[in-house]
Amino acid sequence: MPADGSLAIEARSEISALRRTSRFAGAYPFVAGLLLPVALGAVWEALVYFGLANGRLVPPPSAIFRTLAELSSTGELYVHIRATLLRVLAGFAAGAVAGTLVGALIGYFRRFRQLLDPSLQGLRAVPSIAWVPLFILWFGIFELSKITLIAVGVFFPVYLGVLGAIEAVDRKTVEVGRAFRLSPLGLVRRILLPSILPAYVVALRQGLGLGWMFVVAAEFMGASEGLGYLLVDGQQLGKPQQIVAAILVFAVLGQITDWILSLLTAPFLRWQDSFARAR
Amino acid sequence: MLSIRNIGKTYPNGTAALREITLDVGAGEIVAVVGGSGSGKSTLLRLISGLDHPTSGTIDVDGTRIVAPHPAVGIVFQEPRLLPWLTVEGNVGFGLAHLSRPERRHRVHQALKRVGLADYALRWPRELSGGQSQRVAIARALVARPSVILLDEPFSALDAFTRVELQDHLLEIWADTRPTLVLVTHDIEEAVALASRVVVLRPFPGRVAQVSDVKLARPRDRLSHSFDDEKRAILSALDTTLARRAPPAA
């Protein structure tokens, strides 16, 4: 079928052309989004440079980058990044595992829901920073109390995400599994898990985001290293450039970890992805 | 051979969906079940599939009592119900997990070829049209080689052209291996075009009102007078059932 074949090729090249334009269209807003901060930075830099503003409380970009370079050349920056990153990862792992297990249990067995969900919802209503004094009493001021606080922050979005996703699984899809005589375990593995995966990934990403929020609170509790320590230290010693530098590092690390998480989960969501691409 | 004996189904809320249904379907027969809403035709199909349980009576397929979904019975739902996270190939092979990979691939490709979608093995369900999706669902039921295939208004969501195309296609597939087909439909023309026997159900609760043979030679000409006569006969039977026990006006 030469006619069909050439048609298909034509269609394919048209689609790839569309993709190319959409990729360009995707890059353009990114550049546009940079314009404002870069322009503001440049203006502020110039004002400080020409002595029209002193820049002591609001450091110009050059001062921030100088601070970053100094911290980085002494290796100090990496010590702090490493400490914070390890806390986030440990807290995220603990919170995500607990949230997944409890969410799955409550979602799968209705009885557990009546028993546990009201208490969990009550705990969720507690502003998590309110736990800090208690956690310090219970777990001391070192790593355990910090990681616990982060885990609490990660737990709730993951728990709610898993629970909601399980409840949203279509009865008709489950019936397909039953029609093919899947065992309860097979039903979980071949129907439930793939059904909830997209919502689960979203929940994990939300959990990770909260993990990054809570690590700051945890490190305010008293830490001798970590990016949160840099913030506190910058405040106490009056070094705003160090504070802004730490904030920048937080932003970059948060983005990178989120990106890694979506990259790791992308292969499992290919079927969805292809839908997004087809649109 | 499908044997239904004195089947009754009453739901826990007291609604009687089916009462005293008895029906024998011979091997390789095509039986269409028609009836107004509330006649329990879909319920009957779910009971045969083993997805639901009758409150009284028994169902046997080739001498095996049906108490749960059984490999000898395949089902095609009203919607394709493909699993969106599996490719077409994965969906068709879903029930063949017990087979070795090459064996599974072979069977899946045969089934896809049979429904005319050999080139679509690696597509995602999202990329298929309604008719293609339903073909994949038929392939998924075929691939397990059941002796009975149940179809619950399988073409009702499709446009008229695609519907006729798939009906003809279903007949071709049936002619290959002659599985027993039990087809629930609200489309009289579909019943006459496909079935060797038409079971008319009467509603509230669902009972058998009439069973009639369709004495038309295959292939059937939808435009012939005899086709029209068969249609008219079933329609008048349906009208009788509805007039005799009309549902209370909603």
Side-chain angles (χ1 to χ4, degrees), chain A residues 172 175 178 190 194-195 274, chain B residues 46 51 79 81 85 94:
Chain A
K172 291 179 171 174
E175 216 166 66
R178 286 187 53 216
R190 299 185 63 198
S195 293
S274 73
Chain B
R46 292 181 59 85
L51 285 169
E79 329 79 21
R81 297 203 192 177
W85 57 85
F94 188 76

Side-chain angles (χ1 to χ4, degrees), chain B residues 86 226 240:
Chain B
L86 294 179
S226 45
T240 323

